[in-house]
Amino acid sequence: GSVVASYPYDDSVTHRPTGLYSKSADDEVFKYLAKAYASHHPIMRTGKPNCPGEEGETFPDGITNGAQWYDVEGGMQDYNYVWANCFEITLELSCCKYPPTSELPKEWENNRESLLAFIEKV
């Protein structure tokens, strides 16, 4: 896990594992929506999730192009965009995929304003 808003494309022509920006035709819209979410999240907006084992990982403005982060061939985000004209971003909300129940109120607080801002944009 991480704390970042990722947007299409997750896949690239070369399938290079990381570091290749894979721009979609609607790149500016996706960046706008990802920033709308990330800018309201207290951790995401810093661009430094500081996840255990990935302490040096950074995301400018708390967002990333999926393929630039890591290439995913056949992902749902790209499939929905290409075949259903569905605009979606992927939200990585925690370093831990399954946070303990005791952490859920904090996760809600971290994401509440981001969710509201995102819904307003959509």
Side-chain angles (χ1 to χ4, degrees):
S2 193
V3 184
V4 66
S6 174
Y7 56 91
Y9 286 121
D10 284 336
D11 194 8
S12 66
V13 176
T14 64
H15 306 297
R16 195 166 104 195
T18 64
L20 182 65
Y21 197 101
S22 189
K23 185 176 181 178
S24 73
D26 297 293
D27 195 63
E28 292 302 315
V29 174
F30 283 120
K31 285 194 290 191
Y32 175 77
L33 293 173
K35 282 182 185 179
Y37 195 96
S39 68
H40 290 85
H41 190 286
I43 297 167
M44 198 179 292
R45 71 174 164 230
T46 69
K48 298 175 185 173
N50 201 28
C51 292
E54 299 289 340
E55 290 84 0
E57 188 170 58
T58 61
F59 303 101
D61 297 321
I63 69 172
T64 189
N65 172 262
Q68 188 169 28
W69 185 20
Y70 64 91
D71 195 278
V72 175
E73 187 175 353
M76 186 60 90
Q77 179 172 266
D78 291 357
Y79 179 86
N80 286 338
Y81 175 56
V82 172
W83 297 105
N85 199 31
C86 179
F87 286 43
E88 64 182 66
I89 63 173
T90 298
L91 300 168
E92 298 273 342
L93 302 178
S94 173
C95 296
C96 176
K97 291 287 186 183
Y98 303 102
T101 303
S102 62
E103 294 291 316
L104 294 181
K106 180 179 144 205
E107 291 300 329
W108 166 245
E109 288 304 316
N110 285 346
N111 288 282
R112 182 181 52 191
E113 293 303 318
S114 294
L115 287 164
L116 293 170
F118 186 74
I119 289 168
E120 288 173 357
K121 301 298 181 201
V122 172

